[in-house]
Amino acid sequence: MARFSSRVEQVSISGIREVFEAASEDAINLGLGQPDFPAPEHAREAAVEAIRAGNADAYTSNKGTRGLREAIATKHARDNDLDVDPANVIATSGGSEALHLALEAHVDAGEEVIYPDPGFVSYEALTHLAGGTPKPVGLREDLTLDPVAVEEAITDETAAFVVNSPANPTGAVQSPEDMREFARIADEHDVLCISDEVYEHIVFEGDHRSPAEFAERDNVVVINACSKTYSMTGWRLGWVTGSEDRIERMLRVHQYSQACASAPAQYAAEAALSGPQDRVEEMVDAFEERRDVLLDGLEDIGLETPKPRGAFYAMPKVPEGWVEAVIDRGVVVVPGEAFGDGGEGYARISYATDLEQLKEALEIMRSATESVA
C-alpha cells in the first residue's frame, strides 16, 4: 500500500465524533453543536425558487453570486460597522472551509498558528493539514483568551493567531478591549489575526465586536457563516472576508478545492441575511433561558461552571470518570480534552436542545456525579 502524507497522519477523527459513536441511539444528545430550530422559511423558499427557476443548476462565480456577496457586505455594515467591498468576500462551504482557506493561504511549512486551548477542534487539525505547527495557548479562569498570552506566544515563526468569540467550546465572549488588543497585536507584529465569528449573534451579556473594527492595517481576516445564526448547519454556507490581496490568495485555494459554494445554499443565505431577523432574536432568547436552567442545575449538583456569555455551550469542571458515567446513563456530553489539553477536567455541554430534555439530562448528571464523588 502507498504511504500516507505526514500531514494527514497527524490528524485523527474528532473526539466529538468518537463520543457520538459510543452513545446509544436513544441518548439525550448534549454534544451536538447545532441549533434545534428550523431554518427561516424565507431562506428555504429562496432556495426552492432558485431551483425551480433553473438559477441553481450551474456554477456560480468562484467567489459566489453577486447578490449574496452584497448581502454579506450589507450585513457587515449593519452589524459590525465595517465597510466591506463585495469583491472582497468569498462564499464558502461553511465556516470550516473558510477557516481552511485562511490557513492554507497564509501558513508555510513549519510556521506556527496560535489558537485557544481549549478551542474548536478544527484549529489544530487544519493547521497540521496546512503544514503548520499548532501552538495552543491556555485561557483565563473565565475561559476567555488573554491578549497578553497571545502576544507572549508570538515568535519569528508565527504566521497567524485565531480568535473565536463567542467561543466553541467555552461559550466565552471576548471584551471589546480584548478585541482592540488583538487588532493591535496583529498590526504591530505583522501577523494574521483570523477572527472566527460564527456565533456572533448568540450573545447574552456584553457585545460582540470584531478585531476588524479596530485594525489599522490589513492583518485581520473574518470567518463567518449562516450555520449557527440561522440554524442552517446542513446548508454549508459560510464566507471569509479580508483585504483584496488576501482574498485573491484564498481564492486560489478555493477555486481548486471547491470551485464555488452550493448554488441553492447561496440563494438561501442571501435571503436569510437580507430578510427578517426576528427568528435570530427568538433563538437567542431561547438559548439564554436554557443556559440559565443549565447553570442553575449544575450549581445545584455542585459542579463549578464558568458562566458562558454566548454561543450555546457550557464547560463545567467535572471529577474524573464523570463524562463516562453520564454517557453510560444515556446523555451525550463531550470530554473537555477533545478540545485540547487545556480542556482536561472539564466537559462541554451543548444546550441546543429543548428544556424538557435538558432538565431530564440534569437529573441524570446528578446521578452520575453522586456515583463518582
Side-chain angles (χ1 to χ4, degrees):
M1 178 183 291
R3 69 179 184 87
F4 302 104
S5 75
S6 59
R7 297 186 308 281
V8 79
E9 288 296 271
Q10 295 178 83
V11 176
S12 21
I13 298 299
S14 162
I16 302 172
R17 290 295 166 191
E18 291 179 357
V19 170
F20 290 161
E21 292 295 329
S24 63
E25 291 184 4
D26 59 350
I28 298 173
N29 193 340
L30 303 185
L32 197 60
Q34 175 170 284
D36 61 328
F37 295 85
E41 188 62 29
H42 58 278
R44 293 177 173 182
E45 285 302 313
V48 171
E49 290 172 11
I51 291 168
R52 285 177 174 159
N55 295 331
D57 291 344
Y59 294 120
T60 71
S61 160
N62 288 142
K63 289 182 179 179
T65 66
R66 179 72 186 185
L68 172 58
R69 288 183 287 119
E70 287 177 348
I72 290 169
T74 299
K75 167 259 172 297
H76 280 295
R78 177 185 72 215
D79 299 338
N80 312 109
D81 197 24
L82 290 175
D83 183 11
V84 172
D85 187 335
N88 292 338
V89 174
I90 302 173
T92 61
S93 182
S96 297
E97 194 216 347
L99 180 62
H100 174 65
L101 299 185
L103 291 169
E104 286 288 345
H106 294 96
V107 179
D108 271 328
E111 287 189 324
E112 298 167 347
V113 176
I114 297 166
Y115 57 88
D117 178 15
F120 181 42
V121 294
S122 291
Y123 302 148
E124 178 183 8
L126 291 177
T127 296
H128 279 306
L129 291 176
T133 300
K135 195 167 186 179
V137 170
L139 306 179
R140 297 166 170 145
E141 279 297 309
D142 66 354
L143 301 183
T144 57
L145 181 63
D146 189 345
V148 173
V150 171
E151 191 160 24
E152 289 176 347
I154 290 175
T155 71
D156 290 342
E157 301 304 315
T158 303
F161 65 91
V162 179
V163 177
N164 177 211
S165 179
N168 176 8
T170 65
V173 176
Q174 301 288 154
S175 69
E177 293 75 20
D178 283 347
M179 292 306 212
R180 186 184 296 275
E181 276 295 283
F182 290 133
R184 178 195 64 77
I185 291 166
D187 285 341
E188 289 189 8
H189 293 270
D190 199 26
V191 298
L192 181 68
C193 172
I194 301 174
S195 185
D196 180 348
E197 303 181 15
V198 168
Y199 294 88
E200 70 164 318
H201 287 294
I202 309 175
V203 176
F204 315 126
E205 284 124 35
D207 296 304
H208 167 74
R209 301 293 294 275
S210 172
E213 297 177 50
F214 306 109
E216 296 181 1
R217 300 170 65 184
D218 73 340
N219 287 329
V220 177
V221 161
V222 175
I223 306 294
N224 213 320
C226 289
S227 302
K228 314 299 182 177
T229 299
Y230 299 105
S231 195
M232 294 173 65
T233 55
W235 292 83
R236 308 311 304 136
L237 198 291
W239 67 88
V240 58
T241 185
S243 68
E244 180 179 358
D245 285 345
R246 296 194 187 282
I247 288 295
E248 198 275 335
R249 268 65 175 188
M250 287 186 277
L251 186 63
R252 297 179 193 181
V253 182
H254 175 69
Q255 68 178 357
Y256 292 114
S257 63
Q258 190 69 22
C260 65
S262 161
Q266 290 189 54
Y267 288 101
E270 180 183 346
L273 290 162
S274 304
Q277 302 296 302
D278 52 315
R279 170 64 63 80
V280 179
E281 296 176 9
E282 292 172 10
M283 284 175 50
V284 173
D285 288 344
F287 286 139
E288 184 172 11
E289 181 183 8
R290 296 172 188 181
R291 178 204 65 168
D292 293 344
V293 168
L294 177 63
L295 291 182
D296 288 345
L298 293 174
E299 182 180 12
D300 190 51
I301 292 169
L303 297 177
E304 180 185 347
T305 310
K307 187 177 185 180
R309 301 183 183 277
F312 37 73
Y313 308 107
M315 285 196 83
K317 295 180 180 179
V318 299
E320 187 175 352
W322 188 87
V323 170
E324 292 81 2
V326 170
I327 292 174
D328 286 346
R329 286 164 170 77
V331 174
V332 178
V333 296
V334 184
E337 55 265 32
F339 303 96
D341 291 343
E344 186 174 356
Y346 291 86
R348 190 193 77 169
I349 300 171
S350 168
Y351 45 91
T353 190
D354 66 80
L355 276 174
E356 289 309 309
Q357 282 205 316
L358 201 56
K359 292 174 181 177
E360 182 181 348
L362 281 166
E363 289 306 310
I364 293 171
M365 290 178 199
R366 181 186 301 279
S367 171
T369 304
E370 291 170 352
S371 75
V372 298

